Amino acid sequence: MTDSSDDALLPLEAVRPPASEKDTKGAVLPAPEKPVAKVVVDSPLPHLDRPFDYLVPDRLHETAEPGVRVRVRFAGKLVDGFLLDRVQESDHEGRLTPLERVVSPERVLTPEIAGLARAVADRYAGTLTDVLRLAVPPRHARAEAETPKPVPPQERPPAPSPSAWDAYPAGPSFLAALRDGRAPRAVWQALPGAKGWAGPVAEAVRATLDGGRGAVVVVPDGKDVALADTAFLRVLGPGAHVALTADLGPAERYRRWLRLLRGEVKAVVGTRAAMFAPVADLGLVAIWDDGDDLHAERLAPYPHAREVLGLRAHRAGAGMLIGGYARTAEATQLVASGWARPITAARTTIRSLAPRVRPAGEDAELAKDQAARQARLPSIAWRALRHGLDDGPVLVQVPRRGYLPALACRHCRAPARCVLPPTKSAPGDTLTMEAAEGPLCHGPLALRSGHAAPYCRWCGRVDASWRCPSCGSPRLRAVVTGARRTAEELGRAFPSVPVRTSGRDGVLASVPAARALVVATPGAEPVAEDGYAAAVLLDGWALLGRADLRAGEETVRRWMNAAALLRPGAELVVLADAALPAVQALLRWDPITFAERELADRAELGFPPAVRMATLTGPAGAVRQMLDEARLPADAQVLGPVPVAGDGQERAMIRVPRPEGAALSAALKAAGGVRAARKTPDVVRVCVDPLDLI
């Protein structure tokens, strides 16, 4: 609720009402109508998560409307807040404290978003204030004071013909329902191919706008926003939507957000913050690739965009579209419960557009060419890349970024660890690499380039004289090869071919149709004009071997997102065992069966989404105390606590049947409120239905 306006906060003398605004007894004159304001104050404490009553002075009667930002005195301090409502009488006994001022007359908190924020806070055992920080961007006074530029009416382009939804048996009826103002809810398995997913989503938004209602579309990152923005401009025409990303800067982002609030446009596409966009008369909420971890908010109370949009669709009576090339267990649960319907193409259509997938196990024969052996390419992968380069760009997906992110002793294969103990040469000095008693870091060593010395990934120190503590050998070997090293090796294997990289250091949105090798990490694959001619998915074991409940689901999602960028019938080589279920899902292009099996396995083991689960993470004593004091549902099962990374940190997991989810959240929130009221110093992080359980 911070105010990034150009207005400085006024001194206390300036915000106190003048004597002319007080009655003969010195009391502030109340507003003539509904003089009591319900205000949510900016406080993260759970036991203060409720509206507080304040007096609306007569001088603020016209501007103190529901939804505006206000300044109030709370616990002796001036704090920010939102005015939720005005009523005639208060249940509070005694004199009410008056509002100090209205920060801005702009009604930034709509009733729909206020109700949604309350529901999200209750769903995730959080506070309304925490959710409002995510829902309402900071104020920018200059952008707010600008006079909106009149936008002349734009003629909408002709509807695409044929429609992209004609490829799905249920597609036309889905669009018809949106045009008629109904609320269809669907889980959509998008077809692979160079045409992509953005066009069908834009058509769904157009059908919603034709029905007189608004639409909210949430995608994982800025690259996807750019793709959707281009498709929306083509299908909807100029001025019909706005795109929201963090890269816009505070002024432009707030300016576009105000256009939605003021009803100038009724469609928005953006990253996860757009899930709270104030679109009036909502008719459709859509999320693309809901399995991407970028949809999970990193700030308390850690909501997931899919769940927030589902709540919003339910509350607003709007339709919902969950789309992806793969399918998550959560989306499968919605279909199994009957809340949503599947939209899939016929198997003949899928087979005509999908690439030709060929698995190559870890023991696959390497190519006879020396350069290919140095690039770690089996013969099948080497041939696929070489033939693909004759027709255009080829894609190589590498699951790890960096150069050589993991090293081991070449002689005994022991993991290479940091053995330079930090010491202090004098009291108060910083840590140095001088000799001391025993290592204190023991972090993994890595390489940044072929000519660099090993460095520790934890403490960052260089260890040029490393020797294996087990056998004394100074020689190292790579355990995991990163994207930059892979690009270097492929450059030697194909010396006449340009190599492009896309990853954390720089994400490419697209590449031309010219001959090139494109090395990318998962999620950073650029779109190729006319699609890739071939692709190789390296090191499948690195994805499938992760100690994560969602390792298989995440692997299928990353593979299929990359494979969908290929031309129909193009060759795709995956370096993994063909017998694995994840590889079979890719071979058959059947993520639905894989997701249904994943959901059945989780139901048998008692993991989300078959059940509701919450984790408590914090100091050992605090976690155990909170477990003892929380009034958990009778069916609750407590797993742990067990130690986690960190000094003295423990984690406990609590699971309940799905109908008991609301009771679990309420119990954890109440226990957190009791701890906050006691001013207990140890913080326990509560996360409901987290993505990471292992």
Side-chain angles (χ1 to χ4, degrees):
M1 297 183 193
T2 56
D3 183 2
S4 60
S5 68
D6 303 324
D7 307 329
L9 293 180
L10 299 177
L12 294 182
E13 293 77 7
V15 297
R16 287 174 181 151
S20 60
E21 296 185 3
K22 299 181 180 180
D23 60 17
T24 56
K25 298 182 180 180
V28 176
L29 292 175
E33 297 179 0
K34 297 184 177 180
V36 179
K38 300 286 185 180
V39 177
V40 54
V41 297
D42 189 0
S43 173
L45 301 177
H47 64 291
L48 301 179
D49 185 29
R50 59 182 179 85
F52 290 87
D53 291 353
Y54 283 86
L55 180 68
V56 180
D58 182 65
R59 61 187 174 88
L60 300 179
H61 174 58
E62 298 296 331
T63 56
E65 297 184 351
V68 300
R69 291 181 169 100
V70 295
R71 294 280 284 175
V72 296
R73 187 168 295 280
F74 187 80
K77 299 179 181 179
L78 279 176
V79 298
D80 296 314
F82 286 107
L83 198 159
L84 297 180
D85 195 10
R86 283 179 60 173
V87 296
Q88 191 63 35
E89 295 181 354
S90 171
D91 295 333
H92 176 75
E93 297 181 0
R95 181 177 296 179
L96 296 178
T97 302
L99 299 175
E100 294 287 349
R101 70 181 178 115
V102 174
V103 175
S104 165
E106 193 78 49
R107 302 177 68 173
V108 294
L109 183 60
T110 64
E112 191 235 338
I113 298 300
L116 175 65
R118 179 73 272 168
V120 172
D122 294 340
R123 164 72 169 76
Y124 286 95
T127 65
L128 179 60
T129 299
D130 285 339
V131 179
L132 290 179
R133 288 196 188 101
L134 305 175
V136 183
R139 177 178 179 247
H140 197 281
R142 187 179 293 112
E144 193 174 272
E146 292 174 352
T147 302
K149 297 180 181 179
V151 179
Q154 300 287 336
E155 184 177 352
R156 188 165 294 174
S161 181
S163 171
W165 291 97
D166 291 342
Y168 307 89
S173 61
F174 176 73
L175 293 186
L178 292 175
R179 290 193 191 96
D180 295 342
R182 288 176 281 158
R185 298 183 294 239
V187 176
W188 166 47
Q189 184 198 350
L191 286 169
K195 293 184 179 180
W197 53 269
V201 173
E203 289 189 46
V205 172
R206 178 181 176 130
T208 306
L209 297 181
D210 289 344
R213 298 189 296 173
V216 173
V217 179
V218 177
V219 297
D221 54 31
K223 177 170 66 72
D224 294 321
V225 172
L227 291 174
D229 190 35
T230 302
F232 281 27
L233 186 63
R234 183 182 69 252
V235 175
L236 305 180
H241 79 285
V242 295
L244 293 179
T245 64
D247 298 336
L248 294 172
E252 179 60 24
R253 184 169 179 268
Y254 192 62
R255 189 177 293 115
R256 296 186 183 188
W257 188 86
L258 285 175
R259 291 190 65 195
L260 292 166
L261 178 70
R262 294 167 178 172
E264 297 174 18
V265 292
K266 299 185 68 174
V268 58
V269 59
T271 49
R272 63 176 178 264
M275 59 188 172
F276 292 108
V279 175
D281 195 15
L282 192 64
L284 173 69
V285 296
I287 182 170
W288 171 254
D289 198 12
D290 65 302
D292 197 311
D293 59 3
L294 292 176
H295 286 303
E297 180 59 56
R298 270 58 173 175
L299 300 176
Y302 320 107
H304 194 284
R306 178 189 54 247
E307 305 303 319
V308 173
L309 292 177
L311 279 172
R312 191 169 183 182
H314 176 73
R315 293 174 55 85
M320 184 170 186
L321 179 64
I322 302 174
Y325 294 117
R327 182 184 284 188
T328 61
E330 285 77 9
T332 305
Q333 173 75 23
L334 294 177
V335 173
S337 66
W339 191 87
R341 299 294 183 184
I343 295 182
T344 58
R347 291 300 302 174
T348 54
T349 305
I350 294 175
R351 284 194 292 269
S352 67
L353 296 175
R356 292 184 295 111
V357 182
R358 302 181 67 181
E362 298 300 327
D363 58 347
E365 177 190 359
L366 290 180
K368 296 179 180 180
D369 187 280
Q370 178 64 26
R373 285 200 298 270
Q374 291 179 358
R376 303 174 293 116
L377 290 176
S379 296
I380 184 175
W382 167 258
R383 289 193 299 269
L385 293 180
R386 182 161 54 86
H387 294 158
L389 286 170
D390 294 336
D391 298 327
V394 297
L395 174 67
V396 179
Q397 186 194 75
V398 185
R400 302 289 181 89
R401 62 176 182 265
Y403 191 76
L404 293 179
L407 301 171
C409 173
R410 180 173 292 186
H411 182 261
C412 69
R413 307 300 174 93
R417 295 284 181 175
C418 178
V419 293
L420 290 175
T423 66
K424 291 185 180 180
S425 57
D429 284 356
T430 57
L431 296 177
T432 66
M433 293 188 295
E434 298 177 359
E437 296 181 359
L440 299 180
C441 177
H442 207 60
L445 295 186
L447 284 178
R448 290 190 175 94
S449 70
H451 304 288
Y455 77 100
C456 177
R457 288 169 52 195
W458 289 0
C459 65
R461 292 168 300 171
V462 176
D463 190 356
S465 59
W466 178 89
R467 283 185 176 274
C468 178
S470 301
C471 67
S473 173
R475 306 186 68 184
L476 291 165
R477 68 182 297 270
V479 176
V480 176
T481 303
R484 284 195 292 115
R485 176 58 181 263
T486 301
E488 181 181 292
E489 294 173 344
L490 289 173
R492 290 194 297 264
F494 299 92
S496 62
V497 180
V499 180
R500 303 174 182 271
T501 59
S502 180
R504 183 176 182 179
D505 298 333
V507 178
L508 300 176
S510 61
V511 293
R515 185 171 182 254
L517 275 162
V518 180
V519 181
T521 52
E525 301 92 349
V527 176
E529 186 178 345
D530 297 329
Y532 288 101
V536 173
L537 309 178
L538 292 178
D539 301 336
W541 59 269
L543 293 175
L544 292 169
R546 293 181 302 129
D548 189 342
L549 175 68
R550 302 176 186 270
E553 175 184 285
E554 180 69 3
T555 300
V556 172
R557 186 187 71 82
R558 292 183 177 186
W559 283 349
M560 298 194 79
N561 284 355
L565 302 177
L566 273 66
R567 301 169 186 171
E571 190 169 7
L572 171 68
V573 178
V574 53
L575 269 62
D577 187 354
L580 296 173
V583 181
Q584 285 294 312
L586 183 64
L587 281 169
R588 299 192 306 269
W589 204 266
D590 185 15
I592 296 178
T593 301
F594 180 86
E596 290 172 345
R597 180 184 299 176
E598 186 79 7
L599 178 62
D601 290 344
R602 294 193 198 176
E604 184 177 354
L605 297 174
F607 282 109
V611 299
R612 294 287 302 278
M613 183 170 285
T615 60
L616 308 180
T617 308
V623 171
R624 296 173 186 273
Q625 183 184 35
M626 190 166 178
L627 286 173
D628 292 338
E629 295 180 347
R631 297 182 178 179
L632 301 175
D635 296 334
Q637 293 179 310
V638 178
L639 309 177
V642 295
V644 294
D647 186 16
Q649 297 282 302
E650 287 191 352
R651 173 181 294 177
M653 294 191 293
I654 309 169
R655 64 184 175 191
V656 297
R658 288 188 63 85
E660 298 293 330
L664 174 63
S665 297
L668 294 178
K669 182 177 179 180
V674 172
R675 290 179 55 79
R678 293 176 182 168
K679 298 182 179 180
T680 306
D682 294 331
V683 177
V684 177
R685 174 183 170 184
V686 178
C687 191
V688 177
D689 290 340
L691 288 181
D692 300 324
L693 291 174
I694 299 177

